[in-house]
Amino acid sequence: MSQDWVARSLKSVWHPCTQMQHHETVPLIPVSHGRGVWLYDHDGKRYFDAISSWWVNLFGHANPRINAALKDQLDMLEHAMLAGFTHEPVIQLSEQLSDMTGNVLGHAFYASDGASAVEIALKMSFHAWRNGGQADKQEFVCLEGSYHGETIGALAVTDVALFKDAYGPLLRAARTVSSPDARNAREGETAQDVARRAAADVERLFEERAGKIAAIIIEPLVQCATGMAMHDPLYLKLVRELCDRHQVHMIVDEIAVGCGRTGTFFACEQAAIWPDFLCLSKGISGGYLPLSLVLTRDEVYQAFYSTDVRRGFLHSHSYTGNPLACRAALATLAIFREDDVLNRNRTRAERLSAALAPLASHERVKNFRQRGMIWAFDAVEPDAARASTFSRRFFASALDNELLLRPIGRTVYLMPPYVLSDDDIDGLAARTRTVFESVITA
C-alpha cells in the first residue's frame, strides 16, 4: 500500500524544497496518521518527529485539546472575510498576543504563511516611513546567512545562496551585515564579543545609510536555515539601541524561533526588548493550520490611520484571520498557560542535553549548541564528496531507525515537540547517536 501512495505522489505532487530526482534513491514516506511524537506510514512503520514537521508542531500530532477546539469551531464558523467583518477567535487571539507583549505590540495583521508575514512587515515599514514624510527610507538590512522566506520580498532579505541565487534578477538588493553567530568567535572571544563586533558592523552601516534604511530584519537568537547559528541576546539589545538612535525599524522574524522554541515565548524577551514588527507563524497554530501574523506598535498603526484610503495598508489575503486557524492558536496558547509549558520545557531541555552529552564530546562533532528546545551540532566530514551527501545519507539512516531528522548540510539539529516523556528523551538521544555513528563511519 505504501509503495502505491509513493508512486502516485511522485507522479502528481511537486514536493517543496526538493530536487525531485533525489527521490529515485531517497525514500518518500507516505504518512497515514500521527499520534503524539510519532508519524505512521500506511504499513504501520513509525517515525519519531524530532523536527516537529518543519518546526510547526508544538504539542504532538492529533492533540486532543486542539482537536476539540477545532471541532467546536467547525459548528460555528469556518471562515468569513476579515475586510468589513470580524469574529471572536481573531479578536481574542489579537488581544492575548498583545497582552503577552505588555501591550507594546498592540496591533495584529494576519496572513497564512511565514514568508507572507515578512512581506507584510517590509511593506508596512516602507509605507509607514513614506506616510511620515520620509520616502527616501526604502532600503532593508539583513544578516549574513539569514533566511526569511521565498516570496520575492522575503527572498530579497535572505542570504542563503541555494535559495536566492537563481532569482537574483528579480530581487531588490538588501544591505547585508555580519552575523553574530557565536561560531565566528576568534581565539579568546566569547559569544558576547561576537555580538558586539556584529553590532558594530550595523552601527557603521547606520551611520552611513540611516536616512535611506527603512528596517533591519533579524531572526532572534537562532538563524535556523543557515544551520542553527546561535547568538547571544546582547546582539538584539545593541541593535535595538541603534535602531532607536538612527530611526530605523527593527523587524524580528520569530516564525521559527517564537512560541517557546528558544526558552521564552518570544525569543526577543531574552534581550528585554521589543521590536517594531514581530512576525509569527509555524507553531502559533500548534502545527495544525496555516496562520501567520505581524504584531506592531501603535506608532506604526497611526501612520496609516487617515481619511485618505491611499494612506491605508491595503495588503490582503483571502484567508486572513481564518477562524479555524485562530481557534487552533487560542487552544495552543491555552496549553501554554494551563500546563506551565515553558517551565516544564526547561526540565526537558536539561534532560535531553544530558542524554546528548556523548554526542557533544564525540571526536567527529564540533560546535554542539543548545538554546531552549533547539539542539544542533556540526559533523566533521573531511572528505568533500562525502560531506556533500551527508544530509541525505543521514536522513535515510534516520528513517531506518524510526527517526525523522533532516540535517541542514552537515548540521544535525533536533527541534522536537513539547510533549516528550523521559522515555522519549532517552530514545531520541540514543537513536540520534546510533544514526550519527552509522553515517560518519560508513
Side-chain angles (χ1 to χ4, degrees):
M1 184 180 295
S2 284
Q3 289 307 307
D4 181 53
W5 285 114
V6 168
R8 290 168 62 182
S9 186
L10 291 176
K11 183 177 180 180
S12 61
V13 180
W14 198 335
H15 293 266
C17 200
T18 300
Q19 169 49 264
M20 292 298 294
Q21 190 183 49
H22 289 167
H23 279 307
E24 293 180 6
T25 55
V26 176
L28 180 69
I29 306 301
V31 176
S32 167
H33 63 282
R35 291 291 183 275
V37 300
W38 296 97
L39 292 169
Y40 295 83
D41 68 17
H42 288 268
D43 293 330
K45 296 178 182 177
R46 65 178 190 170
Y47 307 91
F48 193 117
D49 191 354
I51 58 172
S52 298
S53 287
W54 250 350
W55 322 341
V56 302
N57 187 282
L58 301 189
F59 298 117
H61 297 283
N63 182 283
R65 289 149 78 180
I66 302 176
N67 287 358
L70 287 173
K71 290 172 183 175
D72 180 65
Q73 184 63 41
L74 274 171
D75 287 330
M76 292 189 290
L77 178 65
E78 80 299 338
H79 184 66
M81 62 187 291
L82 205 61
F85 291 82
T86 193
H87 52 78
E88 187 175 332
V90 78
I91 296 167
Q92 290 183 337
L93 180 58
S94 302
E95 290 174 342
Q96 289 185 25
L97 289 170
S98 176
D99 286 346
M100 293 170 72
T101 72
N103 298 310
V104 174
L105 304 177
H107 303 274
F109 196 100
Y110 289 85
S112 302
D113 59 88
S116 295
V118 170
E119 297 278 346
I120 288 165
L122 296 173
K123 288 176 65 177
M124 272 188 181
S125 174
F126 160 76
H127 200 165
W129 288 122
R130 190 182 76 168
N131 282 353
Q134 299 191 64
D136 286 344
K137 294 174 80 67
Q138 301 179 12
E139 297 179 4
F140 295 100
V141 181
C142 64
L143 276 56
E144 290 178 349
S146 58
Y147 174 89
H148 299 288
E150 292 164 40
T151 51
I152 295 298
L155 199 57
V157 290
T158 286
D159 186 50
V160 179
L162 179 64
F163 300 117
K164 184 175 181 177
D165 282 0
Y167 308 102
L170 303 179
L171 306 177
R172 179 173 182 148
R175 303 275 175 178
T176 304
V177 292
S178 301
S179 170
D181 182 355
R183 292 176 296 178
N184 293 334
R186 299 166 183 165
E187 186 175 355
E189 278 191 331
T190 65
Q192 288 201 343
D193 293 329
V194 180
R196 290 188 183 94
R197 273 200 291 114
D201 195 31
V202 176
E203 183 173 22
R204 285 189 290 271
L205 179 62
F206 281 9
E207 288 175 349
E208 177 187 347
R209 304 288 303 176
K212 304 291 185 182
I213 295 172
I216 182 171
I217 183 168
I218 300 168
E219 298 167 88
L221 302 186
V222 186
Q223 294 178 257
C224 292
T226 195
M228 301 298 162
M230 300 184 184
H231 61 259
D232 192 274
L234 176 64
Y235 179 75
L236 303 175
K237 179 178 175 61
L238 295 175
V239 172
R240 175 72 270 181
E241 292 170 354
L242 291 170
C243 288
D244 290 339
R245 188 186 316 158
H246 294 278
Q247 285 195 297
V248 172
H249 286 147
M250 184 180 190
I251 303 170
V252 296
D253 174 354
E254 298 219 7
I255 291 161
V257 299
C259 302
R261 285 292 181 195
T262 65
T264 48
F265 190 86
F266 299 111
C268 62
E269 292 180 78
Q270 295 182 44
I273 62 101
W274 294 111
D276 300 294
F277 302 90
L278 191 152
C279 303
L280 280 181
S281 190
K282 291 191 182 290
I284 189 60
S285 72
Y288 267 68
L289 289 166
L291 180 66
S292 68
L293 60 102
V294 178
L295 296 171
T296 192
R297 296 171 179 261
D298 191 57
E299 303 94 296
V300 174
Y301 178 80
Q302 291 299 328
F304 293 88
Y305 203 82
S306 172
T307 57
D308 185 349
V309 69
R310 293 169 299 180
R311 291 176 63 89
F313 191 64
L314 304 183
H315 189 102
S316 63
H317 295 266
S318 298
Y319 283 91
T320 293
N322 174 262
L324 286 166
C326 290
R327 190 69 186 277
L330 287 167
T332 297
L333 294 183
I335 294 173
F336 271 100
R337 292 191 304 271
E338 295 165 8
D339 290 6
D340 195 21
V341 169
L342 296 176
N343 281 325
R344 291 187 178 187
N345 277 356
R346 292 185 185 102
T347 301
R348 292 185 179 102
E350 289 175 1
R351 183 180 178 95
L352 184 50
S353 291
L356 290 169
L359 263 177
S361 60
H362 196 286
E363 62 179 3
R364 299 288 294 275
V365 165
K366 65 178 181 179
N367 301 318
F368 184 91
R369 51 204 183 273
Q370 176 256 335
R371 171 75 68 174
M373 290 291 286
I374 305 173
W375 291 260
F377 61 87
D378 304 323
V380 178
E381 186 66 274
D383 182 81
R386 284 176 53 82
S388 68
T389 63
F390 175 83
S391 177
R392 293 201 300 276
R393 289 186 290 116
F394 191 101
F395 173 62
S397 179
L399 293 178
D400 289 340
N401 285 271
E402 297 187 334
L403 271 183
L404 170 53
L405 284 175
R406 282 174 56 112
I408 300 170
R410 289 181 292 107
T411 297
V412 179
Y413 73 91
L414 289 76
M415 202 184 290
Y418 306 160
V419 292
L420 299 175
S421 68
D422 287 349
D423 286 344
D424 291 334
I425 289 170
D426 294 342
L428 175 57
R431 291 169 193 261
T432 303
R433 183 178 181 184
T434 295
V435 173
F436 180 74
E437 292 276 8
S438 69
V439 173
I440 209 73
T441 59

